[in-house]
């Protein structure tokens, strides 16, 4: 089943008190570019999280090293062939061995989470790039990051993205293209990193290798300002701005996903604690 939305950007009047009239008018003028954008939200199969076992901390084990139950491709009903299990990890293989190139695309766990703690370990190939998405919606014909914040997974030493953006906001652990992870404690390619993302009533915290590195609150004037200063601004990408801003919106849950950016990446010990 598909639903078509003509999302009229609302709730801006509430920003007046927070921003002041001048700043509010500036944001309002920019926002008009995103009004009445049409898109299709896909209603694809989801899984019951209660069917998955919990660990000693009360977190659901959504990957046990043996099965991809609950996982599928973004906007797909199956797991793309470039994603598979290798030595107890989920691995994306950019160049599979064989005569066929294989099917790529982003991988999601098919359950909508709202308030949660996501933990996992990851490592990346040399000069590799990937990312972690959350609160994402499946939008027909659009990439996952059009509706989701991104926790960056990157080889900081060798991938050119590490030197792009502003103040390192495209390095590992960062809120991609918006807030740099500080301290930047990402480990080199081929070494395991520990990541944790906490989402609680719109407040998001990124942890990398045991340290808090990023903190922000979604759907606030500050969040809108971050979007406007990024590649997701109302001028550069109106639909992304509309879906990511959601000021006044009620849809504040979504799927967790990992990115196919064309480089090998490994993931393990993936758990989600529902808050």
């Amino acid at each position: 089943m598909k639903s078509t939305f003509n999302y009229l950007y609302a709730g801006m009047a509430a920003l007046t008190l927070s921003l002041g009239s001048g700043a509010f008018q500036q944001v309002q003028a920019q926002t008009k570019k995103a009004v009445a954008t049409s898109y299709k939200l896909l209603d694809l199969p989801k899984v019951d999280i209660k069917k998955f076992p919990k660990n000693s901390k009360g977190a659901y084990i959504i990957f046990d090293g043996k099965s991809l139950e609950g996982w599928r491709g973004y906007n797909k009903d199956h797991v793309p062939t470039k994603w598979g299990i290798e030595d107890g990890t989920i691995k994306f293989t950019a160049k599979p061995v064989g005569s066929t190139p294989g099917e790529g695309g982003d991988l999601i766990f098919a359950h909508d989470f709202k308030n949660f703690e996501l933990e996992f370990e990851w490592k990346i190939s040399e000069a590799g790039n990937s990312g972690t998405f959350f609160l994402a919606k499946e939008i027909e014909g659009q990439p996952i990051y059009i509706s989701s914040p991104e926790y960056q997974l990157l080889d900081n030493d060798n991938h050119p993205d590490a030197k792009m953006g502003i103040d390192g906001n495209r390095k590992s652990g960062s809120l991609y293209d918006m807030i740099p992870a500080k301290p930047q404690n990402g480990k080199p390619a081929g070494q395991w990193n520990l990541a944790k993302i906490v989402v609680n009533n719109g407040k998001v915290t990124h942890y990398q290798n045991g340290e808090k590195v990023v903190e922000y609150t979604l759907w606030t004037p500050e969040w809108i300002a971050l979007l406007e200063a990024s590649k997701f601004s109302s001028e550069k990408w109106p639909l992304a701005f509309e879906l990511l801003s959601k000021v006044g919106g009620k849809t504040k849950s979504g799927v967790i996903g990992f990115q196919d950016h064309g480089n090998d990446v490994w993931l393990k010990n993936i758990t989600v604690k529902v808050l």
Side-chain angles (χ1 to χ4, degrees), residues 42-47 52 62-63 68-80 83 90 105-113 131-139 143-145 147-148 254-260 267 270:
L42 301 184
D43 185 15
L44 294 171
K46 300 290 175 63
V47 296
F52 291 78
I62 62 173
F63 176 64
L68 287 175
E69 182 182 358
W71 297 86
R72 58 176 172 81
Y74 171 78
N75 283 358
K76 298 178 181 179
D77 61 3
H78 61 280
V79 176
W83 292 96
I90 295 178
D106 300 325
L107 184 73
I108 67 165
F109 184 77
H111 179 82
D112 285 333
F113 294 100
T132 306
F133 304 103
F134 49 98
L135 304 178
K137 293 296 180 182
E138 294 182 275
I139 309 296
I144 190 171
Y145 48 82
S147 67
S148 168
V255 299
I256 289 164
F258 294 100
Q259 186 179 36
D260 163 8
L267 307 156
I270 308 172

Side-chain angles (χ1 to χ4, degrees), residues 98-265:
S99 59
T100 59
E103 180 190 13
D106 300 325
L107 184 73
I108 67 165
F109 184 77
H111 179 82
D112 285 333
F113 294 100
K114 183 177 181 179
N115 297 318
F116 59 89
E117 294 181 2
L118 167 66
E119 289 194 58
F120 61 97
E121 293 180 67
W122 65 275
K123 68 177 180 179
I124 199 88
S125 55
E126 185 174 349
N129 186 339
S130 184
T132 306
F133 304 103
F134 49 98
L135 304 178
K137 293 296 180 182
E138 294 182 275
I139 309 296
E140 185 177 59
Q142 298 292 340
I144 190 171
Y145 48 82
I146 199 169
S147 67
S148 168
E150 178 180 352
Y151 179 114
Q152 175 78 311
L153 309 180
L154 195 77
D155 174 4
N156 293 329
D157 296 326
N158 299 295
H159 196 283
D161 227 19
K163 297 180 181 179
M164 299 175 70
I166 299 173
D167 194 25
N169 66 2
R170 296 188 180 185
K171 292 184 177 182
S172 67
S174 298
L175 171 62
Y176 178 75
D177 205 47
M178 287 189 266
I179 304 177
K182 293 187 177 182
Q184 180 45 251
N185 60 352
K187 295 181 181 179
Q191 294 188 25
W192 287 104
N193 292 270
L194 175 63
K196 181 166 78 168
I197 301 167
V198 180
V199 180
N200 197 358
N201 294 321
K203 182 178 179 180
V204 184
T205 309
H206 294 192
Y207 295 85
Q208 183 166 251
N209 295 320
E211 295 189 76
K212 181 169 73 173
V213 293
V214 173
E215 191 171 69
Y216 52 98
T217 303
L218 301 167
W219 315 302
T220 61
E222 292 78 15
W223 174 247
I224 301 304
L226 285 169
L227 290 174
E228 289 289 21
S230 75
K231 64 186 289 184
F232 310 107
S233 71
S234 58
E235 181 176 0
K236 294 177 182 177
W237 199 352
L239 181 55
F241 178 81
E242 178 180 327
L243 292 168
L244 287 164
S245 56
K246 289 294 185 185
V247 174
K250 301 298 182 184
T251 305
K252 297 180 179 179
S253 64
V255 299
I256 289 164
F258 294 100
Q259 186 179 36
D260 163 8
H261 203 281
N263 306 119
D264 289 4
V265 62

